[in-house]
Amino acid sequence: MKILALETSTETASVALLDGDRLLERSVAGRPGHSETILPEIRLLLAEAGVALDALDAIAFGAGPGAFTGLRLACGVAQGLAMGLGKPVIPVGTLAALASQCSHDAIFVAADARMSEVYFAAYRRVDGVLEECLAPSCAAPGAVALPAEGDWFGFGSAFKAYGEVLVPGLGARLAGHDATPVPLASSVARLAAWHFSRGEVVDAALAAPLYVRDKVALTTAERLASGGKA
Amino acid sequence: MRVLGIETSCDETGVAVYDTDKGLLGHRLHSQIDLHAAYGGVVPELASRDHVRRLPLLLRETLALTGLSMRDVDAIAYTAGPGLAGALLVGSSVAEALGVALGIPTLPVHHLEGHLLSPLLSADPPAFPFVALLVSGGHTQLMRVSGVGDYALLGETVDDAAGEAFDKTAKLIGLPYPGGPVLAKLALEGTPGRFKLPRPMLHSKDFDFSFSGLKTAVLTTATAPGFAPEDRADLAAEFQAAAVEVLVAKAMAALRHCGLRQLVVAGGVGANLALRAALDAAAAKRKARVFYPELELCTDNGAMIAFAGAMRLMAGEQVEASDGRFAVRPRWSLQEITPPQAAA
């Protein structure tokens, strides 16, 4: 099984190839737009691995939540590659990918969503497999709460961006946190392999970003209702 | 050679296949007008999201329509700018990834070059050189077109684009989105001249335009005491007459200046019937001819992008299989466009 994975939801872009037991990855950090690098990086990665594009079984991408433009870049590139190669796509949640990088078994993921909000979700590792306990959501840091029971380890960039509000707000059941990790293509590839083994793939035309933040503009009626101009 | 064209620069998703021997094989278009109507204008983020949803389906539909498979495509042309950055990125990323997957060349196309060349897709096309009047919601420009990629700007709007002025004026007098075509329809029921609006820069002796003052004059008239809803048709008619008069006068002056007898009109406002009638009448007096794209190709579309890419390839543009590097160019001046670069 050969899966190519792309992840461009944060400023660190990465591409990874899972080829049987072999996992190769390339990353480019600190670039706001990844359009100049993502496809060349994929070509380099495959050349390094000695794997041809048409030998791939599926294309996986970090579907979100994350930077909207980054999600669309990964989705568009995955769709284009998949349509050109006639292969399926595997969208993988970025918060799940991030959680899979944590060594704890009860993980509360919170990533900086900008605009004074955080994307968050909770996962438990059961028999080596991540189970979603709280689906990805978006809220102000002060409005975020842990699942009802248990101790949770905090993971993700929101603990740096909004730590002063987030950490006391989550309370005593937050058993520590690490704000440095970002989702990586290698994690997306591993989770995608699991989905692939269960037949959970989608047609390229149906692959879509998972934005989570869906209210992005006010309608004319809403602006008028709040005293604004048409 | 078959060229796939992809357009996602604003609020229309377009896909087409142009064959250099057989012409346009087919095209598909999805307009987002209904999506943005509730917001009173194009919301860039929603436009980008809709392009992601529509583009792969339109690609499949276009191939089905033309009886082709992905492997039958020889090159991919896509709009790289100007336009909305997020919207451009959708078409660019899908196009470039397809190019890498298929191992074929990709051509980033300038959106306005697509519009400029679109009248050449009609059954009775003009021949180079000609004067082009580009009128849309985003652009108002006059240029001398000597060949593919050989464009000299004669003049352009110093503020609002003509289509933007139509849309904003429509909004000022309370017409629903998208205002321009609604205003043009209402103008048919009115009488120009009852209200007096200025003809900005009509005598400026250059080829530049200004439409923001005209819009302000509409606002002043429409908010004056005694202005009644039933007056709107007459005001719309006067606005359209003013805009059309300036566009026609400058276009004719440009023909005179260049010593040419062919005028090409492209862009969404080129579908305006009052503009077409006035241009045709003025051109006939000068023994000149006006060329328009087919009505369905006046709006943004994939056909003009596939065609522009094909024209460049036929003119010997040197292309290689895509290495996958790309960058969208939201503000890309047509002046930066050069004629096709043939292999040395």
Side-chain angles (χ1 to χ4, degrees):
Chain A
M1 177 180 55
K2 294 181 176 63
I3 292 177
L4 175 71
L6 0 160
E7 163 44 56
T8 58
S9 72
T10 71
E11 286 186 9
T12 301
S14 50
V15 297
L17 174 72
L18 184 68
D19 174 15
D21 296 333
R22 194 159 69 120
L23 183 58
L24 290 89
E25 183 168 47
R26 295 182 62 92
S27 73
V28 189
R31 294 263 196 101
H34 303 301
S35 68
E36 294 211 20
T37 48
I38 186 80
L39 280 161
E41 288 296 323
I42 289 170
R43 291 161 59 99
L44 286 169
L45 177 76
L46 293 176
E48 231 173 66
V51 169
L53 264 172
D54 54 13
L56 296 172
D57 293 300
I59 319 290
F61 73 103
F68 295 159
T69 299
L71 304 184
R72 278 191 286 271
L73 175 66
C75 182
V77 168
Q79 286 175 329
L81 289 174
M83 290 186 85
L85 299 168
K87 299 292 161 69
V89 173
I90 307 173
V92 172
T94 46
L95 298 184
L98 188 54
S100 74
Q101 295 164 213
C102 181
S103 57
H104 295 257
D105 288 333
I107 311 135
F108 186 79
V109 184
D112 184 359
R114 305 291 169 92
M115 299 167 71
S116 303
E117 289 189 315
V118 301
Y119 295 123
F120 63 98
Y123 301 87
R124 253 183 223 288
R125 191 176 280 105
V126 180
D127 298 330
V129 175
L130 279 183
E131 282 182 6
E132 185 181 278
C133 304
L134 195 62
S137 307
C138 182
V144 172
L146 294 174
E149 289 176 9
D151 289 347
W152 298 82
F153 188 81
F155 209 60
S157 57
F159 287 94
K160 183 178 176 196
Y162 306 107
E164 288 172 16
V165 179
L166 200 54
V167 173
L170 291 174
R173 288 192 291 116
L174 183 72
H177 66 265
D178 183 351
T180 50
V182 294
L184 300 171
S186 50
S187 322
V188 172
R190 276 197 212 93
L191 293 186
W194 185 75
H195 287 297
F196 186 80
S197 69
R198 296 160 58 99
E200 294 168 0
V201 299
V202 300
D203 178 82
L206 301 177
L210 175 66
Y211 298 105
V212 176
R213 182 186 276 146
D214 284 322
K215 186 69 189 167
V216 296
L218 295 178
T219 63
T220 305
E222 288 164 341
R223 285 197 300 276
L224 289 171
S226 60
K229 294 206 304 189
Chain B
M1 188 176 256
R2 294 189 198 92
V3 183
L4 177 69
I6 295 178
E7 155 68 35
T8 64
S9 68
C10 188
D11 60 346
E12 263 134 355
T13 319
V15 178
V17 181
Y18 184 86
D19 185 310
T20 50
D21 295 324
K22 298 177 189 159
L24 186 64
L25 298 183
H27 81 109
R28 296 282 293 129
L29 186 68
H30 175 78
S31 166
Q32 301 179 354
I33 282 181
D34 295 343
L35 171 72
H36 300 291
Y39 299 88
V42 175
V43 181
E45 175 60 22
L46 295 181
S48 303
R49 290 186 180 196
D50 202 55
H51 286 306
V52 176
R53 270 193 295 270
R54 306 287 177 179
L55 181 55
L57 293 169
L58 287 180
L59 278 165
R60 290 251 171 86
E61 284 178 29
T62 307
L63 290 174
L65 181 78
T66 54
L68 300 174
S69 81
M70 284 289 177
R71 295 275 165 200
D72 297 322
V73 173
D74 300 300
I76 303 171
Y78 65 94
T79 307
L84 300 170
L88 289 166
L89 184 83
V90 176
S92 307
S93 54
V94 171
E96 288 288 353
L98 266 176
V100 166
L102 297 168
I104 60 177
T106 52
L107 290 99
V109 169
H110 192 291
H111 180 75
L112 296 183
E113 179 166 60
H115 275 303
L116 265 185
L117 300 178
S118 63
L120 297 173
L121 268 167
S122 63
D124 180 19
F128 297 118
F130 53 76
V131 170
L133 172 66
L134 258 177
V135 270
S136 70
H139 310 275
T140 306
Q141 297 184 333
L142 271 165
M143 59 198 86
R144 185 187 201 282
V145 178
S146 307
V148 176
D150 191 353
Y151 314 127
L153 184 70
L154 301 169
E156 61 186 331
T157 182
V158 296
D159 41 53
D160 291 351
E164 189 181 1
F166 268 84
D167 288 339
K168 286 181 175 173
T169 296
K171 200 167 176 178
L172 285 176
I173 60 174
L175 300 179
Y177 176 88
V182 181
L183 182 136
K185 210 171 159 194
L186 182 64
L188 293 175
E189 300 165 20
T191 310
R194 211 192 111 213
F195 294 102
K196 295 272 185 254
L197 294 175
R199 268 64 174 163
M201 299 184 76
L202 184 62
H203 302 294
S204 66
K205 302 222 187 303
D206 55 22
F207 306 105
D208 288 340
F209 303 89
S210 166
F211 292 103
S212 86
L214 188 52
K215 179 192 66 193
T216 309
V218 168
L219 181 64
T220 309
T221 308
T223 52
F227 186 85
E230 52 272 25
D231 293 328
R232 293 194 305 186
D234 288 343
L235 184 56
E238 172 66 4
F239 167 82
Q240 179 165 274
V244 165
E245 187 178 336
V246 178
L247 289 167
V248 171
K250 299 268 173 165
M252 292 305 130
L255 281 178
R256 199 158 48 235
H257 172 79
C258 296
L260 295 174
R261 292 182 187 279
Q262 296 183 102
L263 176 71
V264 156
V265 179
V269 184
N272 183 291
L273 296 175
L275 177 64
R276 286 189 171 206
L279 282 170
D280 287 341
K285 276 189 208 162
R286 308 184 34 83
K287 296 193 169 51
R289 259 194 79 188
V290 192
F291 297 81
Y292 306 94
E294 304 289 336
L295 261 184
E296 62 171 336
L297 300 183
C298 273
T299 60
D300 293 349
N301 63 81
M304 67 182 193
I305 301 304
F307 180 64
M311 290 285 283
R312 287 194 158 265
L313 289 172
M314 283 190 285
E317 177 116 320
Q318 188 183 19
V319 285
E320 291 168 5
S322 172
D323 71 353
R325 278 171 56 105
F326 66 99
V328 298
R329 306 185 64 175
R331 279 174 294 278
W332 186 7
S333 165
L334 196 58
Q335 307 310 299
E336 294 173 47
I337 298 295
T338 53
Q341 304 293 309

